[in-house]
Amino acid sequence: MPSRNTARLDSPDSYYHVYARGASKEDIFRESADKDYLLYLFSRYLSKDESISNTGVPYMHHRGHVELLSYCLMNNHFHLLVYQNEIGSLSGFMKSFMTSYVAYFNRKYNRSGHLFENRYKASLITNDGYLLHISRYIHLNPRSWKNFPYSSIRHIRKASEPEWLQTERVLILYPTRQAYLEFVADYEENRNILAELKYELADM
């Protein structure tokens, strides 16, 4: 099962479900270009090659310290599934890309102050069963999850992940990609059936 509070449960070689939401539940992405920029930041900090700023200064390079396994960007929040190799790696990665994104967002929309509700939340994942369920949960966030353009499920379906997305630790738990996709879809079908049953029972 998951355990909260990264300050006390900062462990090496561990999986984390990470969640962050906009302050007062306001949108942190106002248009698709904002989500594209966050994906660019994943590339900046997690690609194999180090990225260099316009002034010639290298950005922090988190490749090899953390792995991004799954993600989903909704309008007012995002979910990540991250593997941390070393203590403190997750917090370093989150600080890098969230600070960069807030600076971009405030500059673009001529605003100042906090964008996110508070410090991101993270749950330590302690077994493979929960690892699979949280990966599925992340991918099922959008109602039209199969064709959602800002989720890692699209890369899994096409078998063409960008280098900054490392899905192997999740997919290796299934014999094929198709088996994983069926695992995700099966839960959606069962959830829809349960919702329909609850609706019918409420009218009795």
Side-chain angles (χ1 to χ4, degrees):
M1 292 298 292
S3 301
R4 293 190 181 277
N5 195 331
T6 53
R8 288 181 297 165
L9 297 173
D10 190 4
S11 304
D13 303 315
S14 299
Y15 297 89
Y16 289 88
H17 171 213
V18 183
Y19 170 84
R21 183 170 64 184
S24 301
K25 300 183 181 180
E26 293 182 0
D27 286 352
I28 57 175
F29 307 109
R30 295 185 181 179
E31 57 184 26
S32 59
D34 300 333
K35 293 178 181 177
D36 289 332
Y37 190 80
L38 191 63
L39 297 183
Y40 157 72
L41 291 177
F42 289 158
S43 175
R44 173 193 287 179
Y45 294 114
L46 293 175
S47 290
K48 293 178 181 178
D49 296 328
E50 188 178 61
S51 295
I52 308 297
S53 71
N54 293 332
T55 59
V57 178
Y59 290 108
M60 290 292 294
H61 196 221
H62 298 279
R63 180 80 176 203
H65 303 287
V66 297
E67 299 172 22
L68 179 60
L69 312 182
S70 306
Y71 72 88
C72 185
L73 311 183
M74 305 297 286
N75 287 343
N76 71 348
H77 68 278
F78 64 74
H79 293 271
L80 309 178
L81 178 57
V82 177
Y83 181 80
Q84 171 177 263
N85 288 287
E86 305 155 357
I87 290 176
S89 297
L90 173 62
S91 60
F93 167 63
M94 296 300 294
K95 180 180 179 181
S96 289
F97 92 82
M98 290 181 74
T99 300
S100 295
Y101 183 75
V102 172
Y104 152 84
F105 191 90
N106 285 352
R107 183 172 59 251
K108 178 176 179 178
Y109 294 108
N110 192 29
R111 66 183 300 277
S112 61
H114 297 291
L115 173 62
F116 292 97
E117 185 175 58
N118 47 37
R119 187 174 184 268
Y120 66 88
K121 298 177 181 179
S123 297
L124 176 65
I125 299 170
T126 56
N127 63 67
D128 287 348
Y130 189 74
L131 176 66
L132 284 173
H133 284 295
I134 200 63
S135 174
R136 178 164 64 177
Y137 168 77
I138 288 172
H139 288 140
L140 286 175
N141 255 249
R143 188 174 298 275
S144 301
W145 66 272
K146 292 180 181 178
N147 300 307
F148 190 67
Y150 294 102
S151 161
S152 47
I153 199 71
R154 68 187 180 108
H155 302 296
I156 294 174
R157 292 181 67 217
K158 295 179 180 179
S160 59
E161 292 92 347
E163 65 174 8
W164 48 264
L165 178 66
Q166 298 174 268
T167 60
E168 295 87 354
R169 292 183 187 273
V170 172
L171 295 182
I172 199 172
L173 300 174
Y174 273 81
T176 64
R177 287 172 181 266
Q178 185 58 36
Y180 174 77
L181 292 170
E182 290 173 358
F183 167 75
V184 176
D186 180 64
Y187 181 81
E188 182 192 36
E189 180 179 348
N190 291 338
R191 181 178 63 180
N192 290 341
I193 292 173
L194 180 60
E196 183 177 344
L197 286 173
K198 287 183 177 180
Y199 178 80
E200 291 177 355
L201 288 171
D203 288 339
M204 291 181 64

